[in-house]
Amino acid sequence: MQAPELSAEQEALFRLIEDTRDHVFVTGRAGTGKSTLLQHLSYRTSKQIAVCAPTGVAALNVEGQTIHSLLRLPIGLIADADLEHPDATRKLLNAIDTLVIDEISMVNADVMDAIDRSLRQARGRRAEPFGGVQIVMFGDPYQLAPVPPRHGDEQRYIRDHYRSFWFFDARVWAGSDAALPGSEGSSLLDLGRYGASLQIRELAEIHRQSDPEFRRMLGAVRHGRVTADIAQVLNDTGARTPPVGGDDEPPIITLATRNDIVTRINRAHLDALPGATQTAHAEISGDFGRGDAAYPADAELQLKVGAQVMFLRNDVSTFGQPPRWVNGTIGTVTRIAGGTVRVEVDGEQMDVEPAVWERFRYAYNASTRSISREIVAEFTQFPLRLAWAVTIHKSQGKTYDRAIIDLGSGAFAPGQTYVALSRLTSLEGLYLSRPLRPRDIQVDPDVQRFMAAVRARA
């Protein structure tokens, strides 16, 4: 796979990461190209690099490893638990120059501190933050939040020892009591007192939307500054009857808050189609984890001719040519036969074959003194999902020309409405199942505190 080309803004940030040892936090609005920069870094860096993410699916998306498996961290609240490193893990961690963490906003504060402690211990450099490893973090706190511990005792521990659950309130960034509840300012901004430097860079050039007025509205939703005028424009535009679809109509998808809503919509549409349902069973080898949450696609994919589907990864079969589809492209199944599924996209028929998702593990090569990736598991399935509806969470990173946004009884997480609206390329593609309400626009106060301090320092 070729590394994607970068804009001037992305190239300058790539050079910062590549040419310095500074820790870098890359953030920015939806559609600013954070994933593009991460992919470019993975393919073009000259450093010994390891890429990780907080969840299995997120790690698959960046062809990396989960944080816990890479660093051999215990599951659950880590706190001050002893960290043990097998010899192979210690050698691997000693070979890393740069650790890249994607979806950093989902990383809890205690895990951030455990990453620091694990690297110091394994590398025998306890006086240096992260044992001397450069940390590069990607994510947007306005879109995804950390998942609090499930148990009451664990939640109380975090509240007693940290200002918030967020990664930027980890103690590693302060080296003092600045991360504790009741302290002033943002602990992350005190990193310089800890003997390291942190570059916080917010990508500004938006690639998904071209209309400056729609960009302005999305910015207001992102920051929780929606005026009555903006709300009226969004509600008036979205208060149209969605198209029923047809041969001349481009597909439209519903973005909903809950899995049960999505399942009900997809099942009703599939059942309404004539013909028998055909099921494609995934082939799973190695230790790929268990349960649907660990899989990048449905283990049992049920399809019919006429089903509306969404592609789950980019087309990699047209090397050197524009891909026939990308992650998030929507089409309609027109034929199922011969081990392929034929899908029509924008009037063009294309045969889709099963794709292979590989789960990687980093390993140290003693002869070359370098790290490499080993394939430890494979998941083979058609890169398709029923797509009359999808959860807002699973729409993360996707782009749609048209969508029905169904917030049901209300957005229940900060950033949820922003994620849904920012999937659209234009205001003209917006359809609302009901008008937006003030309580649908939620922004985490800890994120507001942190980002305000970042911008004040810029």
Side-chain angles (χ1 to χ4, degrees), residues 265-277 302-309 331-334 336 386 388:
I265 292 172
N266 284 331
R267 175 52 59 185
H269 279 280
L270 187 67
D271 290 344
L273 293 174
T277 298
Q302 295 187 331
L303 295 175
K304 287 183 182 180
V305 171
Q308 182 167 297
V309 292
T332 303
V333 175
T334 58
I336 306 172
L386 292 178
W388 287 285

Side-chain angles (χ1 to χ4, degrees), residues 39-53:
Q39 185 179 352
H40 185 95
L41 175 65
S42 297
Y43 281 91
R44 292 288 177 84
T45 184
S46 61
K47 297 178 178 180
Q48 293 289 313
I49 190 172
V51 183
C52 61

Side-chain angles (χ1 to χ4, degrees), residues 144-272:
L144 288 174
V147 178
R150 295 180 181 180
H151 303 294
D153 288 344
E154 295 179 351
Q155 292 182 12
R156 285 188 288 274
Y157 177 90
I158 295 291
R159 292 193 179 99
D160 286 345
H161 290 80
Y162 293 97
R163 187 170 182 178
S164 77
F165 292 109
W166 289 89
F167 75 96
F168 48 73
D169 280 327
R171 285 174 287 184
V172 60
W173 300 124
S176 67
D177 291 336
L180 295 178
S183 60
E184 297 297 327
S186 173
S187 58
L188 187 51
L189 301 182
D190 294 326
L191 182 60
R193 296 195 288 110
Y194 204 61
S197 61
L198 179 73
Q199 300 285 346
I200 304 171
R201 295 299 177 90
E202 188 169 8
L203 291 168
E205 184 180 348
I206 298 175
H207 305 279
R208 182 173 294 148
Q209 296 92 15
S210 59
D211 177 13
E213 186 62 18
F214 188 39
R215 290 178 178 177
R216 183 181 71 85
M217 294 179 190
L218 291 177
V221 175
R222 183 177 190 242
H223 295 104
R225 301 170 185 164
V226 178
T227 64
D229 289 342
I230 292 174
Q232 183 173 352
V233 171
L234 292 172
N235 283 330
D236 288 350
T237 303
R240 297 168 291 159
T241 301
V244 296
D247 294 338
D248 298 327
E249 288 279 0
I252 187 168
I253 189 170
T254 294
L255 308 183
T257 53
R258 302 200 320 265
N259 274 309
D260 60 324
I261 297 173
V262 168
T263 300
R264 185 181 70 245
I265 292 172
N266 284 331
R267 175 52 59 185
H269 279 280
L270 187 67
D271 290 344

